[in-house]
């Protein structure tokens, strides 16, 4: 090969290299149409239809190797923060101040007051021999036991009024016909006896009434003892 031929060959090679470089630097890359494949969704849920391509099954999270231990509680299901309150032992003997709010006193026993035997009214024959006096004692209150006195607390009373617990002492003498001295002596004699009868009647649960014939007799007795209950009967002998 002569010199001219070699020179021509070298020039041809150089031109080929230059042309190849230019072609490589100006080459336009190919374009690809790419889009993710989305499976159709289940109506109303937005989740992919099972078995469609592109579905990814959720993976379970790994369990921690550390086991959480909660403090012991007296009742199951309580949070650990409630354990100290729930596990507090109740007091064996709570003080009255703490337990009074939840404590109810037992109802008071129902007791019936029983009358003493001597307070039971016992009919006995009239002690006096005065028919007018006895008639007034039977009819005016009126007497529960006609023709009888009533023995209560060891004391005779002229009548026990019908339907109520009232004992009577009847006086039928004409006090207004006495002179001042006799009136005074009569009042001084009657008042202590009437007071004794009143105390016995009240101790046995009875009221006590004195029946007199005149207003003058009533006024004289009240002047001596205003606590006496006195009624003018109008009965006279």
């Amino acid at each position: 090969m002569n010199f001219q031929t070699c020179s021509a060959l070298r020039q041809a090679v150089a031109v080929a290299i230059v042309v190849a470089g230019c072609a490589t630097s100006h080459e336009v890359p190919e374009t690809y149409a790419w889009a993710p494949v989305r499976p159709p969704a289940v109506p109303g849920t937005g989740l992919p239809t099972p078995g469609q391509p592109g579905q990814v099954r959720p993976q379970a999270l790994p369990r921690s190797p550390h086991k959480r231990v909660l403090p012991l509680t007296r009742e199951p299901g309580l949070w650990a923060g409630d354990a100290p309150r729930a596990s507090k032992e109740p007091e064996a003997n709570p003080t009255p101040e703490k337990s009074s709010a939840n404590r109810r006193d037992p109802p008071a026993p129902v007791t019936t007051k029983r009358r003493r035997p001597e307070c039971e009214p016992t009919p006995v024959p009239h002690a006096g021999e005065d028919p007018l006096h006895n008639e007034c004692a039977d009819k005016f209150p009126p007497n529960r036991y006609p023709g009888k006195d009533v023995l209560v607390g060891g004391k005779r009373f002229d009548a026990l009024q019908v339907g109520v617990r009232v004992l009577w002492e009847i006086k039928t003498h004409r006090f207004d016909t006495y002179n001042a001295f006799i009136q005074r002596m009569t009042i001084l004699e009657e008042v202590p006896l009437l007071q004794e009868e009143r105390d016995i009647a009240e101790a046995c649960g009875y009221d006590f009434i004195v029946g007199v014939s005149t207003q003058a007799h009533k006024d004289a007795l009240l002047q001596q003892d205003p606590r006496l209950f006195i009624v003018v009967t109008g009965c006279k002998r």
Side-chain angles (χ1 to χ4, degrees), residues 2 15 17 25-26 49 76 78 99 119 142 160 165 190 208 237:
N2 59 19
V15 171
I17 294 172
S25 61
H26 291 85
T49 305
L78 296 178
S99 61
C119 290
L160 173 60
R165 294 175 57 82
E190 289 179 343
F208 178 68
R237 61 182 180 181

Side-chain angles (χ1 to χ4, degrees), residues 98-232:
K98 293 183 180 179
S99 61
S100 59
N102 298 324
R103 178 176 57 83
R104 291 185 178 181
D105 295 332
V110 178
T111 57
T112 56
K113 188 176 180 180
R114 189 173 182 179
R115 194 181 307 168
R116 301 195 307 270
E118 62 271 19
C119 290
E120 294 292 338
T122 303
V124 293
H126 284 309
E129 298 297 332
D130 189 339
L132 294 178
H133 173 276
N134 295 339
E135 182 181 1
C136 183
D138 288 342
K139 294 182 178 180
F140 186 85
N143 188 7
R144 185 182 301 181
Y145 305 106
K148 304 286 185 179
D149 288 346
V150 181
L151 186 65
V152 175
K155 185 72 176 179
R156 280 178 178 267
F157 294 87
D158 290 326
L160 173 60
Q161 186 173 338
V162 174
V164 291
R165 294 175 57 82
V166 179
L167 294 170
W168 284 72
E169 176 64 24
I170 300 296
K171 303 294 184 184
T172 56
H173 50 270
R174 300 287 301 270
F175 180 82
D176 52 340
T177 63
Y178 300 162
N179 59 42
F181 176 78
I182 299 298
Q183 288 182 350
R184 184 170 64 256
M185 297 302 297
T186 300
I187 294 300
L188 292 177
E189 181 183 358
E190 289 179 343
V191 167
L193 297 176
L194 295 175
Q195 290 173 338
E196 180 185 0
E197 292 176 328
R198 178 188 61 194
D199 293 342
I200 293 174
E202 291 178 352
C204 287
Y206 295 88
D207 289 328
F208 178 68
I209 297 178
V210 181
V212 297
S213 297
T214 62
Q215 184 66 38
H217 196 179
K218 175 180 178 179
D219 294 341
L221 289 172
L222 290 178
Q223 187 176 4
Q224 191 69 22
D225 186 352
R227 291 186 60 246
L228 289 172
F229 193 98
I230 304 174
V231 173
V232 178

